[in-house]
Amino acid sequence: MEPALIGTRLASAAIGPILKKLLVSDGPGAGLPGPSGTVRLSSLVSFRGEKRTLTERDVRKLAGTLVGRALHGDGEPPFPADETEAVTDTLATALLALGDLDMDDAQAVHLGHRALARRLRAAAPPPDGLATPSVLFLDVVTEVACRHILEFFTQRSTFVPRTLVEQSRGQAELRAKLDTLTARVPHPDVRDADFERRYLEHLAKKHGRLTIHGIDLHHSPDRWPLDLAYLSLEATGEAPGPDATGRPVPREQALRADLALARHDRVLLRGLAGSGKTTLVQWLTISAAAESGAEGMAYLRGRVPFVLPLRTLTRHGERLPAPDRFLPAAGCPLTPPDGWADRVLAAGRGVVLVDGIDEIPEAERGRARTWLRNLLDAYESNRWLVTSRPTAVRDDWLTPDGFTELALSPMTRAEVTTFVRRWHRAAGPEAEPYEQPLLDALRTHGHVAQLATNPLMCGLVCALHRDRRGFLPRGRKALYEAALSMLLARRDRERDMGDPSGIALDEAPQIQLIQRLAYWLTLNGRTQLDRAHAESLVREAVPAVQEAAPHDPGRVFTHLLHRSGLLREPTTDTIEFVHRTFQDHLAAKALVDHWDIGVLVRHAADDQWEDVIRMAVGHARPRECAEILRELLKAADAAEDRRIRLRLVLLAATSLDHATEVSPEVREEVVRRTSAVIPPRTSAEAKALAAAGRMIFDLLPGPDGLDVDAARLAVVAASHVPDDAAVLYLSRFVSHPVVAVRSQLIWAWHRYDTRSYAEEIVARLDPTGLYYSVQDDAQAHELIRLGLRPQLLQVHGEVSPGARDALLGHSDPRRLTLEVFEPRPDLTSLTGLTRLNRLSLVLPPDADWSSADLPAAPLRQLSIAPVPRDGLAPLSRLRDLRELHLWAAARLSPSLWRQLSTLPGIETLALTGTDLDRCPAGTVLPGVTELHLAAQADAAGLRRLVEVFPSVRRLHLAPGSHDLTPLAALTELRSVRAVGRTTGAEHLTAEVRTVSA
């Protein structure tokens, strides 16, 4: 018989009462009192214990009853009839075994009926000689009996409280075990938090101090806290400049370099050697690690910095690391929990600081970009900073990946003054007498001011001025030679330190040995090398250096490493120069000493060699200098790429400034060749030309005889030279008849001293058609001080509310472009304007403002972003309004479309092509005759606009927003004359031209 059928026969209403007789009745409560504190099964069965009501014989009778009921059902019997007695005895023995199990009712229920049946069968003697159907019947009937028995246990009044007690005990034991386990193996979140605390402390110690080169180490520390030393420099994006009408085009504004990542998630920051790129990385690192950061740095709170100096990551030619290798690759001794870096970056909490694209060989930079792109694809929601020298990678190198390109500006006069004061304060009281004389020299001696344009050179100037008791060398080469003399020889000798390393070497032999290291590093495109390799290079050179030859080469190397002041150990097994500039200077000397002119020329197109070549010209004797310059010009002639030709010619031109003596013929040839690229023909050429420095002012023509483009690009080139000589040249263009040229002069204001530039340039500008761009409070105050009242004004977001209000009240302009970065802007200064007829208002996307903030002036043109909180309908009060620009606002909702249709005076409208998708059916703006679509619109969108704007006669479309076939069909259907195809923001003001359908 099938097991299911056996179960059906036994699952009758009578089987429960039979099995219930096996159990005693229970009492109230949990049954906890008792000698043992536990109620076992032996006390719950009726044939055992003190409440015995059945005997073993009675149990056997019950078993016989069960067997009998199974036999007398319908169908075939479940086992042979002659085995009935044997089956009954075996079942009775199994039921009697219930009293021998060492468990209580709760444990039995937890065990389950099948497992309980197996326990009973195991406790009873095995059936002997029974047929297979009999054995099968016993298995089934035992499980059925156990199911009913367990059901009885769960119905007892004591079962529920007993179970709760057991659950409470079990949970308490489980908690204790979990606590023990957690203590031994913390949760990943706990481990991560603990590690991050240690990691940030490590970063704060490692990057929290700045080395001061050249101060008296006997009386002052050579390193001082970065939070006292750091000078926040300015970073700017390259401006596209004004358009053809002189109207300003939005650009990336100048801002504090350390706040660039607050505005942009991804930044490529360019800067010259010594301009402060690595110091900025240090500052960002300790700002993220600090619990309370400096002013404006709160945006880094809660973020985890990863400092990745590429020169360190690739010093052995290794593959650039994955996130789990970031820390060991960068030399961090701490071991993070498994997967920690992945969790940080996946959560978007990272600040990835990739320092020094220019410090790896040019051939490896493509691989570095691929590595960076893979990281961006996997962990896009972090903040990313990549630093580089200006010409190491092309302008759009990371633009497709969403990076904003910024450049560290040269230090302004005010910043130089601040740096000098901080340096002398840190250097101790003995340096105080030299502070003011140096500040005076920086104002009165042009050659000194030309050198102090970045933190490195400022530090050298301060150290040399103090070291030489107030006297400074002239020229870059002389400055470096004086610095080497101070670091290599005079410092220890003049402080009566004797020979702390047991070796006394003069300046010349030390330079001969150290320049071997500089030569190897530069030749191999590196900035670091293994300590063992560095020592081997010195060992090979020592026998040829007479003063060093008697000494043990190993001790000579140790002396150079610890006492020269030029070398340092970023890790225990690597060596590098304290700054790349010293490496370039000494490598150039070594190349000239070895007369490796061919090596110089072969690398002339490599940006890492630019300074080396310039300095080599400075080191060279007249004949050598002439040969280097001639070879550079020959290489320019042989280059097929125009950019490389321009670069080599400019390199020759910039090298002239470093030459001590050069033949007139060679100089004239370099000047003649340079004149071929002057004036520049593109903005890129203009910026490249500016790298030649102040000498370009002897070459740049103007303004007489220059066409518009040539004049504008000449001004662009000159305004990128951070030298006061630029102001003298630019002043010649203040009355230029073309507004685009004069607008470039306004854009350049931030690169020079605010007051002197205002007096020499801004105050003399012809204001006709000129937008005055005001980028900070100082510029606003200068306009007011000089009594200038610009009628065309652009006020940038960095201008404070107070300065903004004062300037607007003073000027009362007719045209205004106003940027405000506050989410709840104070626009009360607008309400006092009485002559304003054009207003462009740029606010944050979530700005809370109202149309009531707009002035009651006779506004004819209005550009707003975003839409005011009370919508567009209130604009109907502006009775003179004819032109409305919404191209920078959020997409128009159906409600805003309906409000827009209530403004009958609007004749010119600018919006995005995608706005048409949400325009409600039946909406018509019959008064609009000119339409600008600033984003893409497909053919369907173009057809839709005919329904909404039936009177349009001028249509301006962004490139790529249509093809001519549907446009031609549209033109035929509605006689729409399409004019003008422009790019970017320029589509609002570009000259209209007819496009044939």
Side-chain angles (χ1 to χ4, degrees), residues 58-103:
D58 295 328
V59 174
R60 292 184 182 279
K61 285 182 179 181
L62 293 176
T65 303
L66 288 174
V67 172
R69 288 183 181 277
L71 282 172
H72 292 90
D74 296 332
E76 60 177 312
F79 53 85
D82 59 348
E83 292 186 356
T84 299
E85 186 176 352
V87 169
T88 300
D89 288 342
T90 303
L91 178 58
T93 302
L95 294 175
L96 288 170
L98 189 64
D100 296 327
L101 296 182
D102 186 20
M103 64 178 67

Side-chain angles (χ1 to χ4, degrees), residues 313-319 364 367 526:
L313 304 185
T314 61
R315 62 176 178 265
H316 301 300
E318 304 98 329
R319 292 176 60 85
E364 297 181 14
R367 180 164 59 92
R526 302 289 177 185

Side-chain angles (χ1 to χ4, degrees), residues 133-149:
S134 299
V135 175
L136 178 59
F137 172 80
L138 285 170
D139 288 345
V140 174
V141 76
T142 304
E143 287 189 9
V144 172
C146 287
R147 183 184 293 116
H148 281 274
I149 290 170

Side-chain angles (χ1 to χ4, degrees), residues 172-204:
E173 292 177 2
L174 181 60
R175 282 196 300 270
K177 291 177 181 178
L178 287 176
D179 289 343
T180 302
L181 181 62
T182 301
R184 293 178 181 175
V185 185
H187 189 276
D189 290 345
V190 177
R191 295 199 305 271
D192 285 0
D194 179 63
F195 174 76
E196 284 181 22
R197 183 172 57 255
R198 294 173 54 224
Y199 175 62
L200 294 177
E201 290 174 355
H202 165 75
L203 292 179

Side-chain angles (χ1 to χ4, degrees), residues 850-889:
S850 167
S851 62
D853 296 323
L854 298 174
L859 278 176
R860 290 188 58 83
Q861 181 188 84
L862 177 63
S863 174
I864 52 176
V867 173
R869 63 173 177 268
D870 53 348
L872 298 175
L875 299 183
S876 60
R877 71 179 178 86
L878 304 174
R879 301 186 181 279
D880 296 299
L881 189 62
R882 297 293 179 268
E883 188 170 341
L884 181 61
H885 298 167
L886 302 172
W887 54 271

